[in-house]
Amino acid sequence: LTVAMSVVVDSHAQDKKITLGFAQVGAESAWRTANTVSVKQAAKDAGINLKFSDAQQKQENQIRAIRSYIAQKVDVIAFSPVVESGWEPVLEEAKKAHIPVVLTDRNIDVKDKSLYVTMIGSDFLEEGRRAGRWLEETYKNNPGPINIAELQGTVGSAPANDRHSGLMEIIKNDPKFKIIASQSGDFTLAGGKQVMEAFAKTYGKQINVVYAHNDDMALGAIQAMEEAGMKPGTDVKVVSFDATKGGFQAMIAGKINVDVECSPLLGPQLMSAVKDIVAGKTLPKRIVTNETVFPMNVAAQVLPQRKY
Ligand code: GZL
């Protein structure tokens, strides 16, 4: 009887559906929407039971969702941390409950790296450097001054911090580049438009470059610039991130000059990491998504292949 029982229990264990609790940032941008679609579709394709929450870009909502996943005793918890700090308490609770945690998209700033198994996402510092190198190349024969107005992403978030730092690494030794204005538009179209309206009023024609941390803010800024009689893409160069369809369409319209890709399609990598964790495999601490840079002159031929 015991042998039969152990066989039954064993096969039962193998068939047990994995349950993943995913705490998403929100629905603030086209990038985020595509990321959510990727996670949900990949869970379905992988036969993983997904519990999903949208935190409306509030850290306290993400923490509450993670706590509820702990209470429900899910097999794995994954989340895209809206900001870099403030995660130790809830991650300690997950650790005490022996529930492994995977970070996707954005990183956290913690001393104790055992609080998460792996971080799957882009290298935002390198994205910022790529934008900086594009500026250096574009203005190499221009003595300057080149005045930059920066639309920052969500305050305290890894992409906002690192896309700024990456740019600074490249231009800090070149005095012709000057960031004359920098403010957060919270990664939203409305936020980008609002901030750019203020920049246009205050600085107007002094602005040579708009450095937007994502396409949604760039598209909002383009609306504001046109309403202020400025010509985005010609009088003012526009640098953006994400490389969403909206960004490609703006490049084809000649209103964004370069779009640094940041892929939201992390779902499949997340699900294979979840399966590996449940199977007891060890994972690298960092899984970087590979990405590229799209200048406006390739946008028309590349757009048909884009998935988000
Ligand atoms: C980047 C991601 C950012 C996108 C924005 O990986 O965290 O958040 O660049 C999104 O569009 O809102």
Side-chain angles (χ1 to χ4, degrees), residues 168-182:
M168 292 318 291
E169 273 185 34
I170 302 296
I171 65 169
K172 67 176 184 291
N173 305 321
D174 189 342
K176 76 182 178 190
F177 288 109
K178 263 181 84 233
I179 297 186
I180 59 170
S182 184

Side-chain angles (χ1 to χ4, degrees), residues 4-5 21 26 47-48 51 58 60 67 76 97 117 174 189 197 202-203 205 244 251 255 258 265 269 282:
M5 275 305 289
I48 285 174
K51 292 178 182 294
K58 291 185 178 53
E60 64 269 20
R67 284 214 166 97
V76 182
V117 174
D174 189 342
L189 188 143
E197 279 161 358
T202 315
Y203 302 99
K205 301 267 178 279
T244 58
M251 284 198 280
K255 298 178 181 178
V258 62
L265 307 179
Q269 280 172 296
T282 48

